[in-house]
Amino acid sequence: MELKVYVDRLSQPSRAIVIFCKVNKIDFEEVGIELLKGQHLTPEFKEINPMGKVPAIVVDGKFKLFESHAILIFLASAFPGVADHWYPADLYRRAEIHSILDWHHSNLRHGSSFTYFPFPHELCSDETNVFQLNASSAGFIQNTLLAPLFGRSLNPQAAAEAEKVLSSSLSKIEALWLKESGQFLLGSSQPSIADLCLVCEIMQLEFADETDRNRILGPHKKIQQWIEDTKSATKPHFDEVHQTLFAAKVKLQMQRK
Amino acid sequence: MELKVYVDRLSQPSRAIVIFCKVNKIDFEEVGIELLKGQHLTPEFKEINPMGKVPAIVVDGKFKLFESHAILIFLASAFPGVADHWYPADLYRRAEIHSILDWHHSNLRHGSSFTYFPFPHELCSDETNVFQLNASSAGFIQNTLLAPLFGRSLNPQAAAEAEKVLSSSLSKIEALWLKESGQFLLGSSQPSIADLCLVCEIMQLEFADETDRNRILGPHKKIQQWIEDTKSATKPHFDEVHQTLFAAKVKLQMQRK
């Protein structure tokens, strides 16, 4: 099976897919689609994903698929080498993973997609809208740090709202899915695609100021441990794939100075 | 398998599940959770779904599941009588259905979850936030019709934004998924769970003024036909399950007068 993966490593769902492929030794070609250069909006890329968003994949030159959860489920199902814990065959287990992934869409994502990135949304968006500066994903960071860089005014109320959604989401993850023994969601001893998706999402907080990040993540010891466990279970790929994010963070810090 | 289904038929994902069970002759007990009475916020219901949202199911008195897409996938997989077209076993077909369902979360839902309902969000929410009066799902109707009922001011800009998202989502459905021959999404001659979810979502437009509904749906002939085809493929259950919505609409119209 010939697999092309269209991603921007600054986007959290893109990173989840690249890490997944690497950890599972899936042979793939990574095609960089730079959101900041608007490469997702070109007619060429819209042939791949008409929604103009990353990530997307093409299988055997003809089967095209977008939406990261759908992609991960497909890869876990189509590549026989992928261990069962990533996407369990057991219907009940699988259902719980679907439930977490669906919940992710309208909860954690909305809180954490904080627009930790100083770019106008006309230019750059991924499926999480992480780059969008709209009212819904509003954004703590956008409204506490970045807005002035673009001549926009700060909106502490929107920032507080976004932080509230995120903190509540983190509490729910701890209370519901990290409560059992085991290092990963649902008490599993090995990660699933849900662990990977959610942890990559939370990693976007790297863009936040240290004080802010500590305030948000500080109270959530289980979340912190879970991030470390996910890194560890997917090493060295997790850190390697996140290098782009870390580099962008440094650049952003310099811009702010 | 003993199945309890916790729903409010005013909520579109709840309706999708009830219709699915009825069409597929799945034996189930429907437990009404009235959002308008805050029954989803009781400690008893939070034992069923700690997120305090409908729909949710309980299987054999112990397995609890929430999130409508996850529930539909589970039911289609766990009940052997469900025909393949609802959730195809073919990996590629299945992947496309997952992709549409994921897309639904952050597109159509945000546009159509127009708050076609005149109730404060503290009291009532389902997983789609259809009852939420927040800025993201903002809402055409909330901002063109309902706001004054609650002493809120109209926000034509938010209404226009919401309508834009919805219209764009409808255009995308037509251009991408209803383009092939066949009556249903992806050129299928029979509906899948994605057809059911999306059509139930669009049905929420029943709450809109006729002029508004015609303006929004008018240009989308394929969408209109698809709604009719989905109704027809699931009759008489589709209309029967939507009676609650129609009755609420009449009540709302009288309130407005």
Side-chain angles (χ1 to χ4, degrees):
Chain A
M1 203 180 283
E2 188 201 278
L3 176 66
K4 278 194 179 186
V5 171
Y6 297 78
V7 289
D8 183 328
R9 289 186 181 196
L10 287 178
S11 114
Q12 54 272 53
S14 291
R15 292 196 300 274
I17 287 168
V18 175
I19 294 167
F20 182 83
C21 288
K22 286 178 177 263
V23 170
N24 288 291
K25 298 187 173 59
I26 291 173
D27 200 23
F28 71 106
E29 180 189 341
E30 181 174 343
V31 184
I33 299 296
E34 286 194 58
L35 297 173
L36 300 181
K37 292 184 180 163
Q39 292 176 349
H40 57 304
L41 301 175
T42 61
E44 292 74 29
F45 183 66
K46 287 203 170 170
E47 282 293 308
I48 306 298
N49 178 4
M51 301 299 179
K53 293 183 175 185
V54 292
I57 64 169
V58 177
V59 180
D60 292 333
K62 55 184 190 289
F63 180 69
K64 298 164 186 170
L65 190 65
F66 56 88
E67 287 290 341
S68 60
H69 298 172
I71 292 171
L72 286 167
I73 290 172
F74 174 79
L75 296 176
S77 309
F79 286 86
V82 177
D84 184 74
H85 63 84
W86 286 107
Y87 183 59
D90 176 78
L91 282 187
Y92 293 83
R93 205 79 185 154
R94 180 171 284 198
E96 290 182 295
I97 286 172
H98 288 156
S99 177
I100 296 175
L101 290 172
D102 286 330
W103 174 86
H104 176 211
H105 276 289
S106 33
N107 293 276
L108 179 62
R109 180 160 289 179
H110 279 275
S112 74
S113 289
F114 266 174
T115 314
Y116 281 113
F117 227 73
F119 305 99
H121 73 285
E122 307 80 45
L123 268 183
C124 36
S125 80
D126 75 341
E127 72 179 39
T128 64
N129 296 328
V130 65
F131 297 119
Q132 287 195 3
L133 312 184
N134 61 23
S136 67
S137 55
F140 172 72
I141 284 302
Q142 172 59 20
N143 288 297
T144 51
L145 291 171
L146 303 179
L149 292 178
F150 295 89
R152 295 189 177 93
S153 50
L154 295 171
N155 183 344
Q157 198 190 336
E161 285 279 326
E163 184 170 336
K164 224 165 99 180
V165 174
L166 178 57
S167 293
S168 158
S169 294
L170 295 175
S171 295
K172 279 176 182 155
I173 293 171
E174 286 188 326
L176 294 178
W177 296 313
L178 292 174
K179 70 176 175 178
E180 299 170 59
S181 60
Q183 296 166 291
F184 299 100
L185 296 170
L186 303 166
S188 176
S189 60
Q190 287 177 295
S192 74
I193 54 174
D195 292 278
L196 195 53
C197 289
L198 271 60
V199 168
C200 282
E201 184 81 45
I202 296 168
M203 285 301 289
Q204 215 69 357
L205 279 167
E206 283 294 319
F207 275 126
D209 238 4
E210 207 175 321
T211 321
D212 293 330
R213 198 168 62 254
N214 288 345
R215 185 183 65 252
I216 294 169
L217 285 179
H220 300 287
K221 303 295 173 206
K222 280 184 184 176
I223 296 280
Q224 292 173 39
Q225 186 58 49
W226 172 49
I227 295 170
E228 289 310 312
D229 290 339
T230 304
K231 280 185 191 181
S232 173
T234 57
K235 72 180 174 197
H237 309 294
F238 192 97
D239 278 334
E240 186 258 310
V241 174
H242 277 81
Q243 282 311 316
T244 313
L245 185 74
F246 300 140
K249 178 188 175 168
V250 170
K251 203 172 157 188
L252 179 62
Q253 282 170 336
M254 287 176 66
Q255 270 185 295
R256 289 212 306 258
K257 275 174 194 154
Chain B
M1 203 180 283
E2 188 201 277
L3 175 65
K4 278 194 180 185
V5 171
Y6 296 78
V7 289
D8 183 329
R9 291 185 180 197
L10 287 178
S11 113
Q12 54 272 52
S14 290
R15 290 195 301 274
I17 287 168
V18 175
I19 294 167
F20 181 84
C21 288
K22 286 177 176 264
V23 170
N24 288 291
K25 299 187 173 58
I26 291 173
D27 200 22
F28 72 107
E29 179 189 341
E30 181 175 342
V31 184
I33 298 296
E34 286 194 58
L35 297 173
L36 300 181
K37 292 185 179 161
Q39 293 177 349
H40 57 303
L41 301 174
T42 61
E44 293 73 30
F45 183 66
K46 287 204 170 169
E47 282 293 308
I48 305 298
N49 179 4
M51 300 301 179
K53 292 184 175 181
V54 292
I57 63 169
V58 177
V59 180
D60 292 333
K62 52 184 192 291
F63 179 69
K64 297 165 187 168
L65 190 65
F66 56 89
E67 286 292 339
S68 60
H69 298 173
I71 291 171
L72 287 167
I73 291 173
F74 173 79
L75 295 176
S77 309
F79 287 86
V82 177
D84 184 74
H85 63 83
W86 287 107
Y87 185 59
D90 177 78
L91 282 187
Y92 292 83
R93 205 78 184 155
R94 180 171 284 198
E96 291 182 296
I97 286 172
H98 288 154
S99 176
I100 296 175
L101 290 172
D102 286 331
W103 175 85
H104 175 211
H105 276 290
S106 33
N107 294 276
L108 180 61
R109 181 160 289 180
H110 279 274
S112 75
S113 289
F114 263 174
T115 314
Y116 281 114
F117 227 73
F119 306 99
H121 73 284
E122 307 79 43
L123 269 184
C124 35
S125 81
D126 75 341
E127 72 179 39
T128 64
N129 296 329
V130 65
F131 298 118
Q132 287 194 2
L133 312 185
N134 61 24
S136 66
S137 55
F140 172 72
I141 285 303
Q142 172 59 21
N143 288 296
T144 51
L145 292 171
L146 304 178
L149 292 177
F150 296 88
R152 295 188 176 95
S153 48
L154 295 170
N155 184 343
Q157 198 191 333
E161 286 278 327
E163 184 170 334
K164 223 166 100 181
V165 173
L166 178 56
S167 293
S168 158
S169 293
L170 295 175
S171 295
K172 279 176 182 154
I173 292 171
E174 286 189 325
L176 294 177
W177 296 313
L178 292 174
K179 70 175 175 179
E180 298 171 61
S181 61
Q183 295 167 291
F184 299 100
L185 296 171
L186 303 167
S188 176
S189 60
Q190 288 175 294
S192 73
I193 53 173
D195 291 278
L196 195 53
C197 289
L198 271 59
V199 169
C200 283
E201 184 81 44
I202 296 169
M203 284 301 289
Q204 215 68 359
L205 279 168
E206 284 293 319
F207 276 126
D209 239 3
E210 209 176 317
T211 322
D212 293 331
R213 197 168 63 253
N214 288 344
R215 186 184 63 252
I216 294 169
L217 285 178
H220 300 287
K221 303 295 175 207
K222 280 184 183 175
I223 296 279
Q224 292 173 39
Q225 186 59 48
W226 172 50
I227 294 171
E228 289 310 313
D229 290 339
T230 304
K231 280 184 191 180
S232 173
T234 57
K235 73 179 173 194
H237 310 294
F238 193 96
D239 278 334
E240 187 259 310
V241 173
H242 277 83
Q243 281 311 315
T244 315
L245 185 74
F246 300 141
K249 178 189 175 170
V250 171
K251 203 173 156 188
L252 178 62
Q253 281 170 336
M254 285 176 67
Q255 268 186 299
R256 288 213 306 259
K257 277 176 190 154

